[in-house]
Amino acid sequence: MTTSWVDGAASSGFDVDHLPYAVFERAGEEPRVGVRIGDLVLDLAPVAAADMLEVSHLFEATTLNPLMAAGRPVWDSVRQWLTGLLTDETERDVVEPHLVAVADVTLRMPFLVGDYVDFYASLDHASNVGRIFRPDQEPLLPNWRHLPVGYHGRSGTVVPSGTDIVRPHGQRKAPTDDAPTFGPSARLDIEAELGFVVGTGSTLGSRITTEAFADHCFGVVGLNDWSARDIQAWEYVPLGPFLGKSFATSISPWVTPLAAFDAAWVELPGQDPEPLPYLSAGATRGLDIEVEVVLNDEVVSRPSYSSMYWSPAQMLAHLTVNGASTRTGDLWGSGTISGPEPDQRGSFLELSWGGKEPFTAVGRERTFLEDGDVVVLRYSAPGTAGGRITLGEVTGTIAPAL
Ligand code: CA
């Protein structure tokens, strides 16, 4: 793998071993499909048209959905075409007029979200939450090691990075309270996750096997599953998360294609007991993606996705094993990424142990989110060229309750 002729692309986290897609907008123009190289975004439609690319119409859209629906052979051939354009100096005259500084554009929602499912695939996170929410019981419920636990979330409130998060109102009742009260959440939190995006869907009545994962998964986004713990703790029994989660889920504007992770696959830490056969075959690979949770410019946690219990292929196989169909733009979250160490916890709930053990950030003791807090989730992974790729950030600022 060579590097791009674009100045600054080498070692930027955005060389030709990455090539994430986004939808960007310049003032007064329609949103457009672009791919990132270094600190620039390439406007794909005019370059593809000039090159008479057979699939150039896929880029004449205001979302990535047409490209995502085109399927693995097209994703691979477009990636090969882009690599050629951006590494071959003789293409420079054709390409350069269509490069725009990322700093000069606004990034939009990259794709139209279909259904949204969120899993709970970290053993450390599920164990920590069990201990905090149900201190007198076994932390893991009996099903947890047999299936990837998940719930259907609200796709209409998935928002792009940078969207302010308004503190939600809701009902909450602490165990010591006699009756529920209503008001702004006092225990607003983050969940550092990854999101996996369905490119080509599947029909009602069919299953996506673990082996078919790469034919259906287009790519990966950063994801923050904002969570109101006080609302969640009161409402979640017996049917699971609802209004404590559905007010907002942020994703990165850049979608990293699955092919960019070819050097990042690692074996899962191990599954015991052995899962049922539909979850077993060829599915025990996770991704070596490092995560940083940044609160007001200070890194407060460094979880690693490589420590997760359930793999992305197992999650997709499980969510279609009953014959549920999938469509382009469906999104599934990994679940909070927490590792075994205290400084690898992917939520403030865990970092502050339910609010009882404040952690220090920017010189102060902290528990849950305060108005004005800025949270940034950063992600990186080994690239195929020997360096690291930098996934799209997910940022959000907490705005006061309305
Ligand atoms: Ca979650």
Side-chain angles (χ1 to χ4, degrees), residues 107-282:
L107 298 169
R108 297 295 183 196
M109 265 301 281
F111 57 93
L112 187 64
V113 182
D115 286 300
Y116 166 50
V117 170
D118 196 22
F119 284 95
Y120 195 49
S122 159
L123 179 67
D124 295 297
H125 174 70
S127 302
N128 287 340
V129 172
R131 289 187 189 106
I132 293 166
F133 274 25
R134 299 179 298 275
D136 304 328
Q137 298 169 34
E138 274 293 303
L140 288 184
L141 293 171
N143 58 6
W144 199 90
R145 286 176 182 272
H146 293 278
L147 54 84
V149 168
Y151 67 95
H152 276 274
R154 190 168 188 86
S155 54
T157 52
V158 178
V159 297
S161 173
T163 305
D164 282 355
I165 304 303
V166 177
R167 183 179 298 276
H169 279 74
Q171 273 197 35
R172 56 278 156 95
K173 180 190 164 306
T176 49
D177 293 344
D178 293 332
T181 57
F182 179 81
S185 171
R187 291 163 74 90
L188 187 58
D189 197 359
I190 64 153
E191 290 194 339
E193 304 194 18
L194 287 166
F196 296 86
V197 187
V198 172
T200 44
S202 52
T203 55
L204 191 65
S206 69
R207 296 173 183 171
I208 298 177
T209 64
T210 53
E211 290 98 333
F213 169 76
D215 293 335
H216 292 272
C217 180
F218 174 76
V220 178
V221 290
L223 187 147
N224 189 342
D225 174 24
W226 304 97
S227 300
R229 301 300 182 191
D230 39 3
I231 299 171
Q232 181 188 356
W234 170 228
E235 74 177 358
Y236 89 107
V237 181
L239 286 185
F242 186 33
L243 303 179
K245 300 278 191 174
S246 63
F247 56 95
T249 306
S250 299
I251 61 169
S252 63
W254 299 103
V255 183
T256 294
L258 200 62
F261 294 107
D262 279 355
W265 291 103
V266 288
E267 282 299 306
L268 295 176
Q271 298 182 324
D272 183 21
E274 171 96 357
L276 288 168
Y278 80 92
L279 290 170
S280 300

